[in-house]
């Protein structure tokens, strides 16, 4: 018997009598009167930044005014004139010097300040992790209250890779002092587009 | 109401005043209290040490002693919980099961069964309450801080009725004192450190008397207090509730 | 430090020699417990969430066979190569074989307590493979040649000055610099070089979804992703109990995990790996290592519901005052004390006794594992199996003999009071462990039974 057989046989023999799954739909889950406001509050406490915009071009000015290495800005959004498009054929290792990456996110989650995006949005999986500063673009109406609502959306999608990102990379491993910018981006900006 | 008085073994031998206070308090509330003279111990010291089987003779003796009563009341959360969870008689299973349903710790008996409204007692001191773990988390005599749930405390409810008594808030409301039965000697260094930290919390808030529902916790804290020659004393809640006006 | 067979009481005693340090360790972890409380109170449905998560995990335990088979099929269809390891040794060998196949001798690894449990780093080192742990806390203990003392906060027992000195020695940071921001930045630069140059990355698995064949890795630093997305080969290591039925259940678990662990609403990154990247190979190693045995233990199988949040560590008054290394096992704390005896009852017989059974752990556990009840039950099991010291058995038998006979009990009490009154030195001495740091209770004139007979009969 190989290990697979050994393990599965042991599991089958040892597992207890069936206990049914609960109905998680029955839970009265937290709702926020103003999802964007809650999202903004939470994201700020975890080190991120929310910037409301009316027009997508405002991003270009914001990035140029707030970050310093304009040679190395990149975006996956063709609508953004003024920031170089990401070359999707690049080896991820060459993204090491990306100062700012601007990508689209699919929605934000009010209860925890996270945004969901997949490899379809970032093109190169390493991009939102390896860049020094990350910026994402969301529509004003693309917010859900909580994670259970979030999975109602992602549950239907067939991504290869997806990630909830909540603020800049961080650690508190050194005597519980919070430091932003552990291995991933040092800052995160969420542009919220009010169309 | 026929109440059987169940006195923890170490209270019987070393803190008889707590048992006397419990008896007098129950009688003040018109309980007919019997005290089986042949009682010894609930068996918890052996059971918690891994020797559950050795406690069986204690179980039989306990069942014999207390079968006849309507209620069994004990001034100890941990002993009460042990009986509730583990009492089992091979000679008289019906009786032991019945006891499991009618055994009460003192404060829960006063609040839930007797529904006491007034306490005629006076204790004009700054009092810090030690929430003994088994009473709190096992018998739900007070809300635990781990849960997202409304706070309550049966002991505090009663103490608030005592004249002159000032209930003092602590930094850590329900951290364990470190007694833990044989833990107090098997893991002596951690046990004492836990007790010292509890004492420091009370000292920091200028408590004069530490009280609680379990004399085991108080005995452990008292040992530390006396060693450092502290002015803080310990008193079981029964003694406070039974104090003279 | 102490001998390889040192047990929790001795190790805890050594830990307690430096009282100020114990206070610092205790206060830090209590602060994290408080952050957890604060986060829990922001969610009115918190207790319902715990109950739901517990029920989902109960279902997982009862249907694990189906879920594992389903996961394997879906993962394979996604292009993930699935391996099965009966024990830690096989897990290590499988990983080694993948490295050899790829002719790689330098790898990066993000946090996986499973790999700690299997002793992967030591095994690979013996086979001349260089492993760099990329979680900052893990890297710190790795540089110090230690094991993590906490499953979420690996170097919680290290002060920043000590980390500064360690980095000065290994990373050439300036001597005396203990600034967390500066040191973290130094680690960022040091580890970025590893991410960019190493071709194989090992990660752990927080959750594996049977319905979709995907797995989720949660980090704050982004190191799992930096490793995985820059590597040619991504190897994920998973205990079989990490399986969950459906993707939507992540909505429950991800609401509980970070709040329970650190008081954050969610970890910075919750990465869902469903298919390998183009040009990349993805492996997953499913590990038993005693889990199927634990699954068969009616009293202890609920310990397999654990999602490794460490809330039980942070709340445990004993853990906070003895430190993770006192448990001499990969997974310490209350959950460790109910998992380890299953692996080696003799070696870990001391752990279930490193507790006062206060019950705090069970009540912070996001999946409602009845930890304190299992600690009690392990004590019975360990004693039954004969792993209790002979002296203890003798003492317990004497106690049982006294306590089962009222006349003997009353006499023993009277004798004890007499000795304490007239020959106090018999108990007030170094041989009495109680007396080391506590005074004995004052002996009363009579027992309650004696008083009752005189005054009430």
């Amino acid at each position: 018997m190989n290990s697979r057989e050994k393990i599965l046989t042991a599991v089958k023999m040892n597992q207890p009598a069936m206990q049914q799954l609960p109905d998680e739909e029955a839970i009265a889950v937290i709702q926020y009167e103003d999802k964007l406001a809650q999202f903004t509050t939470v994201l700020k406490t975890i080190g991120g930044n929310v910037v409301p915009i009316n027009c997508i071009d405002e991003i270009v000015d914001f990035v140029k005014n707030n970050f310093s290495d304009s040679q190395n800005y990149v975006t996956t959004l063709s609508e953004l004139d003024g920031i170089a498009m990401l070359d999707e054929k690049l080896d991820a290792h060459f993204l090491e010097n990306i100062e700012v990456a601007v990508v689209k996110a699919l929605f934000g989650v009010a209860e925890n300040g996270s945004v969901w995006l997949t490899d379809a949005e970032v093109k190169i999986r390493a991009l939102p992790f390896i860049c020094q500063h990350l910026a994402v673009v969301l529509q004003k109406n693309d917010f859900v209250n909580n994670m259970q609502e979030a999975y109602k959306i992602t549950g239907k999608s067939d991504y290869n890779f997806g990630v909830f990102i909540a603020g800049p990379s961080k650690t508190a491993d050194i005597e519980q002092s919070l430091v932003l910018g552990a291995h991933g981006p040092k800052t995160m900006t969420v542009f919220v587009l009010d169309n | 109401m026929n109440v059987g008085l169940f006195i923890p073994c170490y209270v019987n031998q070393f803190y008889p005043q707590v048992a006397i206070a419990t008896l007098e308090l129950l009688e003040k509330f018109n309980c007919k209290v019997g005290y089986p003279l042949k009682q010894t111990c609930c068996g918890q010291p052996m059971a918690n040490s891994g020797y559950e089987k050795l406690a069986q003779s204690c179980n039989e003796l306990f069942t014999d002693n207390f079968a006849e009563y309507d209620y069994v009341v004990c001034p100890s959360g941990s002993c009460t919980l042990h009986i509730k969870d583990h009492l089992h008689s091979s000679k008289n299973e019906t009786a032991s099961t019945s006891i499991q349903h009618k055994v009460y710790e003192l404060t829960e008996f006063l609040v839930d069964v007797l529904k006491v409204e007034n306490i005629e007692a006076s204790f004009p001191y700054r009092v810090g309450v030690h929430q003994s773990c088994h009473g709190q988390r096992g018998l739900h005599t007070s809300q635990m801080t781990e849960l997202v749930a409304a706070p309550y405390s049966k002991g505090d409810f009663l103490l608030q009725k005592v004249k002159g008594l000032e209930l003092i808030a602590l930094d850590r409301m329900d951290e364990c004192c470190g007694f833990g039965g044989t833990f107090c000697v098997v893991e002596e260094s951690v046990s004492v450190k836990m007790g010292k930290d509890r004492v420091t919390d009370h000292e920091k808030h200028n408590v004069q008397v530490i009280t609680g529902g379990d004399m085991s916790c108080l005995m452990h804290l008292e040992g530390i207090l006396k060693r450092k020659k502290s002015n803080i004393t310990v008193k079981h809640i029964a003694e406070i509730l039974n104090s003279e006006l | 430090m102490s001998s390889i067979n040192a047990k929790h009481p001795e190790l805890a005693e050594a830990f307690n020699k430096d009282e100020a340090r114990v206070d610092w360790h205790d206060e830090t972890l209590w602060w994290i417990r408080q952050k957890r409380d604060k986060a829990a109170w922001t969610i009115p449905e918190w207790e319902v969430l715990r109950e739901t998560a517990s029920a989902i995990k109960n279902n997982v335990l009862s249907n694990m066979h189906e879920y594992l088979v389903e996961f394997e099929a879906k993962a394979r269809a996604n292009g993930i190569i699935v391996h099965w390891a009966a024990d830690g040794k096989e897990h290590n060998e499988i990983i080694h074989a993948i490295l050899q196949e790829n002719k790689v001798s330098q790898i990066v690894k993000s946090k996986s307590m499973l790999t700690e449990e299997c002793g992967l780093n030591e095994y690979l080192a013996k086979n001349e493979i260089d492993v760099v742990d990329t979680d900052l806390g893990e890297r710190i203990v790795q540089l110090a040649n230690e094991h993590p003392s906490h499953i979420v906060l690996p170097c919680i027992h290290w002060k920043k000055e000590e980390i500064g000195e360690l980095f000065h020695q290994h990373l050439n940071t300036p001597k005396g610099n203990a600034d967390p921001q500066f040191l973290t930045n130094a680690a960022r630069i040091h580890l970025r070089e590893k991410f960019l140059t190493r071709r194989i990355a090992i990660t752990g698995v927080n959750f594996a979804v049977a319905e979709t064949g995907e797995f989720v890795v949660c980090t704050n630093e982004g190191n799992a992703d930096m490793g995985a997305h820059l590597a040619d080969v991504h190897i994920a290591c998973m205990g079989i109990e990490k399986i969950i039925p459906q993707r939507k259940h992540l909505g429950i678990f991800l609401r509980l995990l970070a709040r329970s662990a650190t008081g954050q609403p969610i970890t910075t990154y919750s990465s869902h790996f469903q298919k390998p990247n183009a040009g990349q190979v993805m492996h997953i190693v499913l590990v038993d290592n005693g889990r199927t045995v634990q699954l068969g233990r009616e009293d202890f199988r609920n310990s397999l519901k654990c999602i490794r949040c460490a809330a039980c560590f942070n709340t445990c008054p004993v853990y906070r005052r003895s430190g993770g290394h006192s448990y001499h096992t990969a997974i310490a704390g209350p959950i460790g004390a109910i998992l380890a005896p299953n692996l080696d009852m003799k070696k870990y017989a001391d752990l279930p006794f490193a507790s006062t059974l206060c019950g705090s752990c069970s009540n912070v556990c996001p999946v409602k594992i009845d930890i304190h009840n299992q600690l009690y039950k392990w004590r019975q099991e360990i004693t039954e199996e004969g792993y209790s010291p002979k002296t203890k058995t003798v003492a317990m038998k004497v106690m049982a003999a006294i306590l089962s006979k009222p006349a003997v009990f009353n006499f023993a009490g009277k004798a004890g009071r007499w000795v304490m009154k007239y020959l106090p030195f018999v108990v007030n001495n170094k041989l009495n462990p109680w007396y080391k740091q506590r005074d004995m209770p004052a002996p009363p004139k009579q027992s309650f039974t004696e008083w009752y007979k005189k005054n009430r009969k």
Side-chain angles (χ1 to χ4, degrees):
Chain A
M1 233 201 253
N2 64 24
S3 289
R4 179 185 183 278
E5 257 84 78
K6 260 193 274 175
I7 294 170
L8 286 172
T9 304
V11 172
K12 194 157 200 179
M13 192 169 67
N14 289 337
Q15 65 190 20
M18 177 61 86
Q19 301 220 52
Q20 295 303 325
L21 277 170
D23 177 15
E24 80 288 341
E25 296 282 333
I27 304 175
V29 197
I30 197 165
Q31 308 280 305
Y32 301 99
E33 241 184 76
D34 185 340
K35 288 179 283 209
L36 174 55
Q38 179 68 18
F39 176 88
T40 305
T41 304
V42 178
L43 184 57
K44 284 213 161 100
T45 57
I46 57 180
N49 197 15
V50 174
V51 178
I53 54 173
N54 292 311
C55 161
I56 202 157
D57 294 318
E58 291 174 55
I59 294 175
V60 182
D61 289 326
F62 185 93
V63 169
K64 288 195 170 134
N65 290 333
N66 287 282
F67 299 100
S68 54
D69 187 3
S70 58
Q71 309 292 66
N72 285 303
Y73 301 158
V74 98
T75 182
T76 55
L77 297 161
S78 52
E79 314 92 287
L80 273 184
D81 258 335
I83 297 184
M85 279 296 284
L86 176 71
D87 178 357
E88 293 176 36
K89 286 193 254 53
L90 266 181
D91 184 295
H93 293 75
F94 291 110
L95 300 177
E96 193 208 341
N97 291 317
I98 298 295
E99 182 71 8
V100 181
V102 186
V103 301
K104 183 178 144 192
L106 292 171
F107 60 84
V109 184
E111 75 162 318
N112 56 32
S114 71
V115 302
W116 169 257
L117 42 85
T118 75
D119 49 340
E121 281 70 53
V122 297
K123 315 296 181 198
I124 302 177
R125 291 187 188 186
L127 182 65
F129 303 98
I130 200 170
C131 63
Q132 301 294 335
H133 303 277
L134 177 65
V136 306
V137 186
L138 271 175
Q139 303 283 349
K140 191 173 184 198
N141 291 325
D142 286 338
F143 286 90
V144 296
N145 283 293
N146 53 65
M147 291 301 276
Q148 285 165 248
E149 286 180 16
Y151 278 94
K152 291 209 169 92
I153 303 176
T154 72
K156 306 179 195 98
S157 62
D158 186 28
Y159 47 83
N160 296 333
F161 170 79
V163 59
F164 284 98
I165 300 184
S169 141
K170 55 182 84 80
T171 181
D173 271 333
I174 300 180
E175 272 208 63
Q176 291 303 298
S177 289
L178 183 66
V179 176
L180 302 180
H183 303 298
K186 298 171 191 165
T187 73
M188 182 182 179
T189 310
V190 178
F191 293 104
V192 181
L193 183 57
D194 188 355
N195 249 335
Chain B
M1 188 174 289
N2 210 5
V3 173
L5 186 61
F6 157 29
I7 297 299
C9 53
Y10 61 94
V11 169
N12 190 353
Q13 300 299 339
F14 295 110
Y15 298 98
Q17 71 273 22
V18 173
I20 296 167
T22 306
L23 172 63
E24 291 178 350
L25 191 59
L26 289 169
E27 287 174 338
K28 274 180 185 164
F29 292 109
N30 301 315
C31 296
K32 176 163 172 283
V33 184
Y35 175 69
L37 288 165
K38 291 209 178 115
Q39 65 184 280
T40 57
C41 173
C42 66
Q44 189 179 195
M46 278 98 63
N48 279 5
S49 301
Y51 295 82
E52 212 172 34
K53 300 214 163 111
L54 285 182
Q56 195 48 37
S57 47
C58 285
N59 282 336
E60 302 297 348
L61 183 60
F62 193 94
T63 307
D64 283 343
N65 278 322
F66 288 99
E68 64 180 272
Y69 295 96
D70 300 326
Y71 297 96
V72 178
V73 179
C74 176
S76 160
S78 82
C79 306
T80 305
L81 182 67
H82 181 78
I83 292 297
K84 206 169 182 154
D85 284 352
H86 297 291
L87 185 70
H88 151 72
S89 165
S90 34
K91 290 191 294 187
N92 193 351
E93 189 71 54
T94 320
S96 58
T97 308
S98 159
I99 292 170
Q100 285 178 300
H101 289 106
K102 63 190 179 186
V103 66
Y104 287 86
E105 179 270 344
L106 177 64
T107 62
E108 60 172 358
F109 186 72
L110 292 172
V111 174
D112 295 340
V113 180
L114 295 183
K115 300 205 197 316
V116 158
E117 306 244 315
N118 293 305
I119 302 274
E120 297 299 311
S122 168
F123 197 76
Y125 296 98
R126 292 172 60 85
V127 173
V129 177
H130 177 69
Q131 299 288 356
S132 297
C133 301
H134 297 126
Q136 183 196 40
R137 297 192 186 85
L139 299 174
H140 306 289
T141 53
S142 69
Q143 188 57 273
M144 59 186 104
T145 57
E146 290 82 2
L147 298 182
V148 175
Y152 68 87
S153 165
K154 296 177 191 181
D156 286 14
F157 172 77
L158 295 168
L159 288 168
Q160 271 153 0
K161 298 176 188 301
V162 175
K163 286 153 199 61
L165 191 151
E166 199 185 335
L167 267 181
I168 305 300
L170 304 167
D171 283 350
R172 297 191 193 180
M173 284 179 57
D174 53 8
E175 188 178 33
C176 178
C177 69
F179 175 71
T182 50
F183 178 89
C184 76
V185 289
V186 166
E187 292 264 2
E188 185 265 348
S189 52
V190 178
S191 170
V192 169
K193 181 58 182 156
M194 285 167 70
K196 282 165 88 175
D197 289 350
R198 287 288 80 237
V199 163
T200 303
D201 198 351
H202 289 265
E203 282 175 339
K204 192 175 158 188
H205 292 93
N206 297 313
V207 160
Q208 293 170 294
V209 181
I210 300 177
T211 191
D214 269 77
M215 208 56 215
S216 47
C217 308
L218 296 175
M219 172 172 72
H220 168 70
L221 294 176
E222 185 183 51
I224 291 165
L225 287 164
K226 288 198 321 193
R227 179 59 58 94
K228 65 190 295 205
K229 311 237 186 292
S230 168
N231 289 325
I232 299 177
T233 55
V234 304
K235 257 206 174 5
H236 189 277
I237 195 172
E239 298 179 86
I240 295 181
L241 297 177
N242 192 48
S243 54
E244 299 285 289
L245 258 179
Chain C
M1 206 202 194
S2 319
S3 87
I4 203 155
N5 287 318
K7 300 293 185 214
H8 189 276
E10 298 90 78
L11 294 166
E13 188 174 4
F15 189 85
N16 273 277
K17 289 258 183 316
D18 185 344
E19 189 168 3
R21 197 175 183 109
V22 173
D23 287 337
W24 165 79
H25 188 262
D26 164 70
E27 275 152 22
T28 307
L29 287 158
W30 181 254
W31 181 64
I32 298 168
R33 153 77 208 270
Q34 289 179 296
K35 287 204 292 179
R36 170 252 168 215
D37 290 355
K38 199 162 167 223
W41 277 86
T42 65
I43 307 293
E45 68 271 26
W46 181 260
E47 296 301 332
V48 177
L49 275 182
R50 287 180 67 221
E51 181 57 41
T52 308
S54 170
I56 295 169
K57 282 284 184 167
N58 285 340
N59 168 267
V60 167
L61 295 182
S62 71
N63 201 27
M64 195 182 284
H65 183 269
E66 285 300 304
Y67 291 136
L68 287 173
V69 169
E70 188 187 358
F71 175 77
E72 181 192 41
K74 291 273 160 63
R76 286 222 164 106
N78 290 339
I80 303 175
I81 302 168
V82 180
H83 308 262
W84 299 77
D87 55 25
K89 181 166 170 286
E90 195 177 351
H91 160 271
N92 298 342
E93 286 166 356
I94 289 168
I95 291 177
H96 189 207
I98 297 170
L99 303 184
Q100 285 175 312
E101 194 187 305
N102 284 277
K103 298 193 184 14
V104 162
S105 61
Q106 296 184 309
I107 63 172
V108 286
K109 178 161 75 79
S110 62
K111 187 202 289 301
S112 163
M113 287 314 296
L114 175 66
T115 62
E116 277 292 328
E117 194 188 305
C118 298
L120 178 69
N121 285 14
E122 286 86 353
Y123 177 89
L124 290 178
K126 281 203 195 99
N127 287 284
E128 276 147 35
I129 309 282
D130 178 50
V131 181
V132 169
D133 281 321
T134 59
D135 175 297
L136 178 59
E138 302 276 350
R139 185 62 178 146
I140 288 166
V141 294
Q142 183 176 49
L143 289 173
N145 210 17
E146 280 186 358
H147 289 285
S149 69
H150 187 287
I151 62 178
V152 169
L153 314 162
C155 65
I156 191 77
H157 60 293
W158 276 75
K159 294 200 165 190
K160 58 181 190 285
E161 290 78 17
E162 295 159 350
I163 296 168
E165 180 56 34
L166 187 72
F167 275 23
H168 169 65
Q169 283 171 26
H170 292 272
L171 306 183
N172 281 318
T173 50
K175 192 166 178 75
N177 187 314
D179 174 48
Q181 179 86 48
F182 183 87
L183 295 173
T184 302
N185 204 48
R188 179 191 176 90
I189 296 165
H190 157 70
L191 288 167
R192 202 158 252 246
E193 187 261 325
K194 311 286 178 224
F195 291 129
L196 288 165
T197 56
R198 296 186 177 213
R199 301 199 292 113
I200 294 190
I202 296 180
T203 71
V205 168
N206 290 86
F207 305 98
V209 183
E211 181 192 37
T212 56
E214 74 194 290
F215 60 91
V216 178
V217 184
C218 303
T219 69
N220 276 318
E221 297 173 30
N223 56 311
D225 291 280
M226 284 295 279
H229 304 312
L230 293 171
D232 298 333
V233 179
H234 172 188
I235 309 171
C237 304
M238 173 185 148
I240 52 175
E241 84 283 17
K242 292 298 189 74
I243 196 92
I244 62 171
Q246 296 164 41
R247 185 183 277 175
K248 66 175 177 174
H249 295 134
L250 291 166
I252 303 288
F253 290 109
L254 291 182
R255 300 189 72 203
L256 288 163
L257 179 62
R259 288 186 173 104
S260 301
T262 57
Q264 297 171 275
I266 194 169
T267 49
T268 309
Y269 305 102
S270 308
S271 300
H272 298 48
F273 294 86
Q274 189 160 221
K275 296 192 174 108
N277 212 352
Q280 188 200 52
V281 180
M282 202 181 268
H283 297 260
I284 190 162
V285 186
L286 304 173
V287 181
D288 179 355
N289 201 36
R291 287 155 174 75
T292 50
V293 174
Q294 189 83 319
L295 186 63
R297 296 183 193 269
E298 189 183 336
D299 288 333
F300 309 112
R301 64 167 63 103
N302 278 348
S303 61
L304 296 174
K305 290 159 67 172
C306 180
I307 61 175
R308 301 288 194 269
C309 71
C312 60
F313 288 54
N314 303 334
T315 199
C316 179
V318 175
Y319 173 84
R320 282 186 268 111
R321 294 176 182 82
S322 58
H325 292 156
S326 299
Y327 295 74
H328 57 94
T329 178
I331 317 263
I335 188 69
I338 61 174
L339 289 172
N342 174 57
L343 298 173
D344 187 334
M345 220 182 285
K346 184 174 181 195
K347 187 171 176 190
Y348 300 116
D350 55 320
L351 297 185
F353 293 91
S355 164
T356 56
L357 305 181
C358 77
S360 187
C361 51
S362 306
N363 288 287
V364 294
C365 179
V367 291
K368 291 192 160 183
I369 301 170
D370 55 333
I371 302 175
H372 70 294
N373 288 335
Q374 293 192 35
L375 288 167
Y376 175 86
K377 290 185 175 147
W378 268 121
R379 294 177 182 191
Q380 315 308 322
E381 184 83 19
I382 284 163
T383 306
E384 272 293 293
E385 294 296 315
Y387 295 116
S388 207
K390 292 277 182 292
T391 48
K392 187 178 174 188
T393 303
V394 168
M396 287 293 142
K397 284 190 170 154
V398 169
M399 198 189 272
I402 294 173
L403 295 174
S404 58
K405 300 180 187 66
V408 177
F409 169 74
N410 289 319
F411 178 76
K414 199 180 174 90
R417 281 192 297 284
W418 190 90
V419 167
M420 282 168 75
K421 185 166 183 192
Y422 295 107
L423 305 171
F425 55 85
V426 170
V427 286
N428 296 354
N429 61 57
K430 275 196 288 239
L431 294 174
N432 175 4
W434 175 280
Y435 193 73
K436 200 169 163 195
Q437 301 187 71
R438 291 166 283 212
D439 279 1
M440 294 287 283
K445 287 193 194 59
Q446 58 189 345
S447 69
F448 177 69
T449 300
E450 287 169 340
W451 176 91
Y452 193 89
K453 280 183 180 157
K454 269 191 216 125
N455 292 280
R456 287 309 181 88
K457 274 265 124 162

